[in-house]
């Protein structure tokens, strides 16, 4: 079977769940026994989102090969249970950089470089080469942004050309739109979708199917109307109502016949059903006990910054028959009002990753609070570093301990820049990135959680535990529970005589799946559940007076 391509574009407005829909299509096809890979095309000019503020872009999802990518890749990995690489995120910045580098080298001597065909070829080459490399039966391609955006045009032109490049029978165009609800007339409106499809057709793409997002049920001949005006078969106009649990989306799509439609149109020979997925969702939805977990970070006004952390907590809680209630607590608020104000009724605490000094003292306070009060704690990257700083200050007696990232001239840089990173001035793609091995040390909570001696985990940081202080930290009781195989780098640390206080230099959240929750998150929830409140929904917690600086 030749590789099949499913292109998913978005219309009307952004943020209506295109990434989840693409991930769900992938899940449906994978459940049919097909091999699937996914690409996100991002029309912005940054080479990757690594240098963008979380406020602009949300989480930077790190692939195993160290790609700093769009957070939608996280949805793809979680839903399809695949491991993607940096090749699955193509930005306009990458395509232009490649072309301009080649131009400067002289590869085009005498020629004029143009959007069509040079840029569009560059985009198509990347799609085709990923298809070849991955050997996938189906490549699902998400085009970022909304049809009508100026910067998206070369990408739409490239996917239009793909129909001729790889053959008409091997491509399928899906358009995701929003049907707004007008409360005065109590109806869903199709006009914005009609306009968006018109726009798409004006660039030569006739959608084969529409996915219509709406907050209410689609009734009263709406599908027929859209079919008529958009020239799409009625059976290929799929409703996609808003759901409480995103993991239900593949089931809903399957219910409305998305799988069948794709199989027929692309002559896919897969077979199989979503039974396993369906029991997984049932398990999640059946969970009644609430386990409140505080995520104490500096970007919490925009929880998309911690997408994978939130999902990892949900997966782990579901595996214990519980529902994680994530409370977003701003570290600057903790700094200002003290930890008690925000943390006294949570069952567990996560301090996630972050960069720069703003709000970090609030994280150190949080770590001290968790240590003093015996609240289960999981520190992720920066969350581990603050745990070490707190320990060094309070237990080792190094009152002025800090990280040299946060206080470059500090007296005791217990967290410092690591080998090979000194002298690097470029900020893009120069961190310790991607998957590295970690050896767990026996008789530790970390080893107990993993139950295997060596694991691979994904990194994204510049700083590490400073080896100069390792001895004194250990002498004062801190346990270095995970090390790089050569013993040179501290990968995990923990606080002894505590229910669960583990910090890791990496980001375990990227590897959590609904069907395979991450062992460290399971260990956290396992400990936290001792203080679960049965069925009691606690109020969503938000702190006032946040500052919005973009670092
Ligand atoms: N800013 C810290 C470092 O670079 C932590 C990074 C992170 O949390 N991802 O080491």
């Amino acid at each position: 079977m030749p590789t099949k391509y499913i292109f998913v574009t978005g219309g009307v407005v952004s943020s209506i769940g295109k990434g989840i829909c693409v991930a769900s299509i992938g899940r449906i096809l994978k459940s049919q026994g097909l091999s699937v890979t996914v690409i996100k095309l991002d029309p912005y000019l940054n080479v990757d989102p690594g240098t963008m503020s979380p406020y602009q872009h949300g989480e930077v999802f790190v692939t195993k090969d160290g790609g700093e990518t769009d957070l939608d890749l996280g949805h793809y990995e979680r839903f399809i249970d695949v491991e993607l690489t940096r090749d699955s995120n193509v930005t306009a910045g990458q395509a232009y950089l490649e072309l301009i580098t080649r131009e400067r080298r002289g590869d085009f001597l005498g020629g004029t470089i143009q959007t069509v065909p040079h840029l569009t070829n560059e985009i198509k080459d990347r799609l085709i080469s990923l298809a070849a490399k991955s050997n996938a039966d189906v490549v699902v391609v998400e085009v970022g942004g909304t049809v009508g955006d100026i910067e998206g045009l070369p990408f739409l032109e490239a996917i239009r050309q793909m129909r001729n490049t790889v053959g008409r029978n091997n491509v399928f165009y899906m358009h995701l739109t929003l049907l707004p609800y007008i409360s005065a007339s109590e109806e869903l409106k199709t006009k914005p979708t009609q306009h968006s499809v018109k726009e798409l057709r004006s660039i030569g793409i006739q959608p084969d199917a529409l996915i219509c997002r709406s907050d209410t049920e689609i009734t009263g001949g709406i599908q027929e109307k859209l079919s008529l005006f958009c020239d799409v078969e009625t059976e290929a106009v799929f409703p996609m109502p808003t759901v409480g649990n995103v993991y239900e989306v593949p089931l809903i799509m399957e219910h409305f016949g998305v799988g069948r439609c794709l199989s027929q149109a692309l002559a896919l020979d897969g077979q199989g059903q979503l039974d396993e997925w369906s029991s997984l969702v049932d398990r999640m939805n059946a969970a009644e006990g609430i386990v409140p977990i505080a995520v104490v970070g500096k970007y919490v006004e925009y929880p998309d910054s911690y997408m994978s952390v939130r999902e990892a907590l949900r997966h782990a809680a579901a595996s214990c028959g519980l529902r994680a209630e994530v409370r977003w607590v701003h570290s600057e608020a903790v700094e200002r009002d003290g930890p008690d104000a925000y943390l006294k009724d949570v069952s567990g605490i996560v301090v996630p990753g972050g960069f720069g000094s703003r709000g970090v003292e609030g994280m150190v306070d949080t770590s001290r609070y968790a240590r003093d009060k015996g609240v289960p704690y999981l520190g992720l990257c920066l969350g581990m570093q603050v745990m070490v700083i707190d320990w060094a200050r309070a237990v080792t007696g190094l009152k002025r301990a800090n990280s040299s990232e946060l206080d470059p001239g500090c007296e005791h840089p217990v967290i410092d820049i690591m080998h090979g990173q000194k002298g690097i001035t470029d900020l893009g793609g120069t961190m310790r990135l991607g998957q590295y091995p970690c050896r767990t040390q026996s008789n530790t909570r970390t080893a107990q959680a993993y139950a295997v001696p060596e694991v691979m985990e994904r990194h994204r940081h510049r700083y590490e535990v400073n080896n100069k202080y390792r001895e004194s930290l250990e002498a004062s009781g801190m346990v270095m529970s995970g090390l790089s195989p050569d013993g040179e780098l501290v990968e995990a640390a923990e606080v002894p005589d505590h229910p669960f206080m583990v910090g890791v230099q990496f980001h375990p959240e990227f590897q959590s799946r609904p069907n395979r929750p991450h062992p460290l998150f399971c260990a956290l929830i396992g400990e936290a559940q001792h203080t679960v409140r049965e069925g009691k929904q606690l109020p969503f917690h938000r702190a006032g007076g946040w500052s919005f600086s973009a670092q």
Side-chain angles (χ1 to χ4, degrees):
M1 186 172 85
T3 308
K4 308 287 182 173
Y5 294 84
I6 298 168
F7 297 105
V8 184
T9 51
V12 183
V13 286
S14 60
S15 305
I16 49 173
K18 189 148 36 92
I20 299 283
C21 285
V22 167
S24 300
I25 292 168
R27 165 42 58 188
I28 292 172
L29 298 174
K30 177 144 182 210
S31 301
Q32 294 180 1
L34 298 161
S35 69
V36 183
T37 195
V38 195
I39 286 203
K40 171 88 190 272
L41 301 177
D42 273 314
Y44 52 72
L45 289 174
N46 300 60
V47 170
D48 62 40
T51 52
M52 276 190 235
S53 156
Y55 293 123
Q56 295 263 322
H57 189 270
E59 168 183 282
V60 173
F61 187 80
V62 181
T63 52
K64 65 174 177 183
D65 63 338
E68 296 177 273
T69 70
D70 187 77
L71 57 73
D72 278 329
L73 272 78
H75 296 311
Y76 310 156
E77 289 208 354
R78 286 186 284 272
F79 277 67
I80 313 174
D81 198 6
V82 281
E83 284 197 315
L84 302 170
T85 64
R86 63 174 75 241
D87 296 342
S88 280
N89 194 187
V90 174
T91 68
Q94 282 167 25
Y96 280 115
L97 182 65
E98 171 68 26
L99 280 182
I100 292 168
T101 307
R102 283 169 48 202
E103 185 274 337
R104 291 289 82 185
R105 213 164 52 204
D107 289 8
F108 300 98
L109 271 192
T112 308
I113 312 171
Q114 294 176 296
T115 303
V116 183
H118 299 95
L119 184 60
T120 47
N121 281 352
E122 181 61 37
I123 296 166
K124 286 194 293 178
D125 285 351
R126 284 169 187 248
L127 299 177
I128 293 166
S129 95
L130 181 73
K133 249 199 239 173
S134 64
N135 222 352
D137 298 319
V138 186
V139 183
V140 192
V141 183
E142 175 179 352
V143 185
T146 311
V147 168
D149 298 344
I150 291 175
E151 56 185 10
L153 278 173
F155 286 94
L156 293 173
E157 170 61 14
I159 68 163
R160 181 196 68 75
Q161 292 175 15
M162 282 292 281
R163 194 174 51 203
N164 273 336
T165 313
V166 300
R168 281 166 195 261
N169 298 334
N170 301 324
V171 298
F172 192 91
Y173 297 100
M174 262 181 162
H175 191 53
L176 178 83
T177 72
L178 175 76
L179 305 181
Y181 179 74
I182 306 296
S183 54
S185 56
E186 294 183 356
E187 58 179 347
L188 290 169
K189 303 305 280 183
T190 62
K191 190 69 85 191
T193 300
Q194 295 177 39
H195 277 292
S196 164
V197 170
K198 193 168 150 205
E199 183 85 28
L200 198 56
R201 290 166 82 179
S202 75
I203 20 187
I205 298 173
Q206 166 63 48
D208 298 301
L210 297 178
I211 302 181
C212 304
R213 289 278 295 104
S214 65
D215 284 336
T216 59
E217 211 187 327
I218 295 183
T219 50
I222 283 192
Q223 278 147 293
E224 288 74 12
K225 189 170 175 185
L226 283 169
S227 164
L228 179 66
F229 283 99
C230 303
D231 202 14
V232 173
E233 284 173 30
T234 317
E235 296 70 43
V237 180
F238 301 108
M240 190 57 240
T242 304
V243 286
N245 177 359
V246 290
Y247 297 102
E248 286 173 26
V249 174
L251 301 175
I252 295 171
M253 283 192 159
E254 186 63 352
H255 167 77
F256 286 118
V258 172
R260 207 173 334 115
C261 169
L262 290 170
S263 295
Q264 273 167 13
L266 292 170
L268 301 173
D269 50 12
Q271 262 177 17
Q273 310 223 307
L274 286 168
D275 296 349
E276 244 175 74
W277 193 263
S278 162
S279 17
L280 187 132
V281 170
D282 286 347
R283 237 186 355 263
M284 271 185 151
N285 289 348
E288 278 185 355
I290 306 278
V291 57
I293 305 288
V295 175
V296 184
K298 56 196 286 188
Y299 316 113
V300 291
E301 312 90 306
Y302 189 41
D304 275 9
S305 311
Y306 306 111
M307 181 74 82
S308 296
V309 174
R310 186 184 65 198
E311 294 309 307
L313 285 168
R314 292 180 70 190
H315 304 158
S319 75
C320 298
L322 298 167
R323 204 180 281 256
E325 187 215 53
V326 178
R327 298 214 208 155
W328 304 105
V329 177
H330 203 293
S331 57
E332 282 178 294
V334 173
E335 208 170 303
R336 188 188 58 216
D337 307 327
D340 222 35
Y342 304 98
L343 303 174
K344 67 174 180 303
D345 52 4
V346 297
S347 304
I349 297 171
V350 173
V351 175
F355 294 84
S357 58
R358 181 175 65 86
V360 174
E361 282 306 319
M363 297 181 199
V364 178
D365 297 344
T366 301
S367 174
R368 181 178 11 88
Y369 182 87
R371 186 171 51 75
D372 280 349
K373 307 273 181 198
V375 186
Y377 175 100
L378 180 59
L380 309 170
C381 209
L382 182 60
M384 178 248 208
Q385 298 175 355
V386 296
M387 186 183 105
V388 173
I389 292 169
D390 161 57
W391 184 273
R393 288 180 188 170
V395 186
T396 317
L398 305 169
K399 296 264 170 310
R400 273 194 277 261
N402 212 330
S403 159
S404 48
E405 175 189 12
L406 314 170
D407 177 5
C410 73
E411 190 181 336
H412 295 296
V414 288
I415 306 293
D416 200 2
I417 204 127
M418 55 188 187
H419 318 287
Q421 288 277 354
K422 288 218 157 98
I424 289 178
T425 49
D426 269 9
L427 290 184
T430 53
M431 282 183 271
R432 183 178 180 213
L433 286 166
Q435 194 169 266
Y436 287 89
C438 162
R439 289 225 173 115
T440 58
Q441 306 301 298
S442 37
N443 301 322
T444 60
R445 299 303 307 267
T446 310
Q448 195 185 357
Y450 277 115
V452 286
E454 188 168 311
V455 290
M456 296 296 274
E457 290 283 5
R458 299 185 197 173
H459 292 248
R460 181 173 185 251
H461 58 104
R462 274 197 185 83
Y463 296 82
E464 306 265 2
V465 171
N466 187 343
N467 285 332
K468 275 196 234 146
Y469 289 93
R470 224 155 105 179
E471 220 168 89
S472 47
L473 288 167
E474 283 178 307
S476 57
M478 174 149 267
V479 179
M480 302 307 171
S481 53
L483 299 175
S484 57
D486 62 4
E488 278 302 302
L489 300 171
V490 175
E491 296 281 8
E494 54 188 61
V495 166
D497 307 320
H498 186 284
F500 182 85
M501 188 152 189
V502 174
V504 288
Q505 189 54 85
F506 41 81
H507 291 276
E509 66 270 24
F510 295 139
Q511 295 202 81
S512 177
R513 306 277 193 266
N515 51 329
R516 271 187 297 121
H518 193 283
L520 289 176
F521 282 86
C522 289
L524 172 79
I525 299 283
E527 225 22 86
Q529 67 178 321
H530 297 313
T531 43
V532 166
R533 279 143 253 255
E534 279 303 322
K536 190 173 153 221
Q537 192 78 39
L538 291 155
F540 188 70
H541 211 107
R542 286 205 147 189
W546 297 333
S547 99
F548 282 83
S549 75
Q551 190 182 33

